Amino acid sequence: MGACCIQYVLLLSLLGFFPCSDTLTCQEGSIMKLGQNFSKAAIEWPKNTTVSIHGDRLMCQETLVLIDVGENSLMIGSKGSIKDSDQTQNIQVFSAGPGIVAASYVHFCDTELCNNADSTSVLLNNLSLSAYNEPGTIQCDVCLNFGSLCKNTSILASCPMETKCYAGTFVVNRGGISTFFDIFGCLSSSYTYLFKNQTSIGILGIKETLKKNNTTSFSHVLVPSTLPVWMLGLRALLSPLCAGICPLC
């Protein structure tokens, strides 16, 4: 900052004002919301309070994490301050579907109240979802529970082609947030971890622990409409013969 004249500093300091101090005011607060269709429709990101911080290399931050399993969606957000970050703005799409959608928005800035996003559109406007949704041959448990386990609360759903069953528990901390959530669903077959085994997203610390999600295949179930034509013909040929030889058939 520019040099201050000594007489002005002495005068203003007596009045309780320090013009040469490094002070930054940021929006502060957090959101944790469970609902539906958060990957398609923006929701409000409230501005709760402000905080003034003092020191060198200070920045304001806002971090947003989206998870959508189809049946339910989860949005986690944090606003506040951080010191000495080399990031500015970053959007990561961990999974764009088919199946689970996971993405994040991170913004660091160094001007007054600059972390001022008021809705999740800052993420959704840069999120392009996969249009591929060809039906597959497996079924997986699907569940998204916030602060509790998915045991006994999941539903069975058919998964798209080129996906597999996924299950994981996430612990989230820092940025005014300390919680965990369980997630079951269909994830791209090329993925092992949903969040690429990262340990942080913006100011948030995360820990992903993989679990077992039972896979049910229904490709082996034969129904009349899926039987080959020659088998249907053989069945019609043998039916009268069976009726004459073994009436109990």
Side-chain angles (χ1 to χ4, degrees), residues 34-185:
L34 189 66
Q36 293 182 321
N37 296 320
F38 290 169
S39 62
K40 299 176 182 178
I43 61 174
E44 183 184 6
W45 193 355
K47 300 175 182 177
N48 296 327
T49 60
T50 60
V51 58
S52 294
I53 48 179
H54 310 273
D56 297 325
R57 299 181 63 83
L58 301 173
M59 302 187 80
C60 299
Q61 69 83 25
E62 49 190 3
T63 302
L64 195 63
V65 178
L66 161 71
I67 301 171
D68 193 328
V69 300
E71 293 294 324
N72 290 309
S73 305
L74 176 66
M75 196 72 77
I76 297 177
S78 170
K79 290 178 182 286
S81 60
I82 193 171
K83 187 173 182 179
D84 195 21
S85 174
D86 57 0
Q87 298 187 56
T88 52
Q89 182 169 311
N90 181 33
I91 292 176
Q92 282 186 281
V93 180
F94 300 97
S95 174
I100 300 171
V101 173
S104 67
Y105 163 84
V106 176
H107 178 214
F108 293 92
C109 51
D110 58 3
T111 57
E112 291 289 293
L113 302 174
C114 56
N115 56 338
N116 57 3
D118 58 7
S119 83
T120 59
S121 61
V122 290
L123 172 57
L124 300 194
N125 289 345
N126 295 280
L127 180 61
S128 180
L129 301 179
S130 172
Y132 180 82
N133 198 31
E134 183 177 345
T137 59
I138 65 170
Q139 291 182 318
C140 300
D141 289 326
V142 175
C143 171
L144 180 55
N145 271 2
F146 175 66
S148 62
L149 299 178
C150 276
K151 186 178 181 182
N152 301 325
T153 62
S154 61
I155 64 170
L156 198 62
S158 299
C159 289
M161 290 284 288
E162 299 181 12
T163 64
K164 63 180 181 181
C165 295
Y166 169 88
T169 296
F170 293 83
V171 176
V172 183
N173 55 57
R174 299 202 301 264
I177 296 173
S178 180
T179 188
F180 77 94
F181 55 92
D182 243 19
I183 175 171
F184 288 9

